[in-house]
Amino acid sequence: MKWIEVNSYDEMSNVAAHIFTEQLQAKPASILGLATGGSPVGMYKELVKRQQAGDISFKEVTTFNLDEYVGLEQNSPASYWTFMHENLFNHVDINEEKIHLPNGKATDLEAECVAYDAQIAEAGGIDLQLLGIGVNGHIGFNEPGTSFDSLTNIVELTESTRTENAIYFDNPEAVPTHAITMGIQSIMNARAIVLIAFGEKKLEAIEKLKGGEVTEAFPASRLLNHPNVTIIYGGTK
Ligand code: PGA
């Protein structure tokens, strides 16, 4: 595991964007695993700048997002589909057909989960996966206690996660109770992983990860067994 300590959110975003830039320059048809939340917004802004400057292109890129809420319309203001379009996809030269997020409105959600892992495999597997980390160590929506063997599945959100995510909704009750998330094994299948975390609240999770204990009680700890993970982190107490 490679640890890169940074002094600011912007520095974290730039370092992460640099890794994605190198990936796209080395392999224009990369398969990228993407994430939502406050952590990647700056990195996406930087990638938009680099694409518009002609340094990189998304024309041949295929993307798979980590997760999506169950029950929201695709274009609902709080859906992850909307988040990704507003923060990245609408501003770059990506082919809409190569964008994948789990369908939280699927009539058969179980089948949707199986199909999602199959689509990733058919595309050739994820070259570079972006992750944030929850204060409780969650990755994607894989909360503490999730089996390390999990594939894409439907999860019930914990109250702490629903509270953290309430800022994206008109009122806290509007936060969906369930989501579809890539599982921990689905994430581990990526050839390389970048995890970004900045701020006081995240430091506890980062310190726990640094502690080195691999346990299902702390989902991100599974990454300690992955051969190619970069953690870009910082913040003050
Ligand atoms: P954040 O969320 O980027 O909004 O902090 C990350 C996460 O909880 O996985």
Side-chain angles (χ1 to χ4, degrees):
M1 193 169 269
K2 187 173 169 192
W3 296 88
I4 303 178
E5 190 169 2
V6 292
N7 294 314
S8 68
Y9 177 88
D10 285 348
E11 188 185 351
M12 174 187 80
S13 304
N14 282 326
V15 172
H18 181 69
I19 294 173
F20 275 79
T21 297
E22 287 193 326
Q23 173 67 38
L24 294 184
Q25 288 174 342
K27 183 180 175 190
S30 288
I31 316 296
L32 302 181
L34 298 179
T36 52
S39 305
V41 169
M43 186 196 93
Y44 290 149
K45 269 207 184 103
E46 186 57 33
L47 288 178
V48 168
K49 263 198 235 159
R50 291 174 186 216
Q51 193 276 300
Q52 292 179 352
D55 298 337
I56 51 172
S57 170
F58 287 80
K59 273 193 189 125
E60 296 176 54
V61 167
T62 299
T63 64
F64 289 92
N65 262 80
L66 278 172
D67 43 21
E68 180 59 283
Y69 291 111
V70 166
L72 292 189
E73 292 297 337
Q74 192 178 57
N75 63 357
S76 145
S79 76
Y80 286 168
W81 188 93
T82 298
F83 177 98
M84 288 307 303
H85 281 76
E86 287 180 348
N87 286 283
L88 180 66
F89 299 148
N90 287 347
H91 314 292
V92 294
D93 58 351
I94 195 162
N95 177 349
E96 186 72 33
E97 284 169 17
K98 294 188 173 175
I99 293 169
H100 302 86
L101 285 94
N103 177 8
K105 287 287 274 184
T107 41
D108 186 342
L109 290 169
E110 299 283 350
E112 172 66 15
C113 293
V114 174
Y116 201 67
D117 282 314
Q119 278 179 313
I120 295 173
E122 267 161 40
I126 291 172
D127 291 307
L128 181 59
Q129 173 70 54
L130 178 67
L131 296 176
I133 184 171
V135 289
N136 63 4
H138 74 213
I139 47 176
F141 272 129
N142 296 290
E143 302 286 7
T146 304
S147 164
F148 282 163
D149 296 330
S150 57
L151 294 171
T152 299
N153 67 113
I154 300 149
V155 292
E156 183 169 4
L157 304 182
T158 61
E159 271 320 298
S160 81
T161 295
R162 290 185 75 228
T163 305
E164 273 173 50
N165 291 6
I167 49 165
Y168 297 104
F169 291 82
D170 291 339
N171 65 75
E173 290 84 60
V175 183
T177 55
H178 291 76
I180 298 184
T181 183
M182 275 168 61
I184 297 190
Q185 186 56 48
S186 319
I187 293 169
M188 288 293 283
N189 289 342
R191 285 183 273 281
I193 297 174
V194 170
L195 184 149
I196 54 177
F198 192 84
E200 187 184 350
K201 270 172 70 184
K202 304 277 175 177
L203 274 188
E204 207 175 309
I206 290 295
E207 268 160 24
K208 212 161 167 186
L209 190 56
K210 271 192 171 167
E213 189 196 351
V214 178
T215 163
E216 287 181 350
F218 192 70
S221 67
R222 180 64 170 147
L223 302 174
L224 292 160
N225 298 131
H226 191 285
N228 188 347
V229 179
T230 305
I231 312 275
I232 310 167
Y233 71 101
T236 44
K237 278 208 176 138

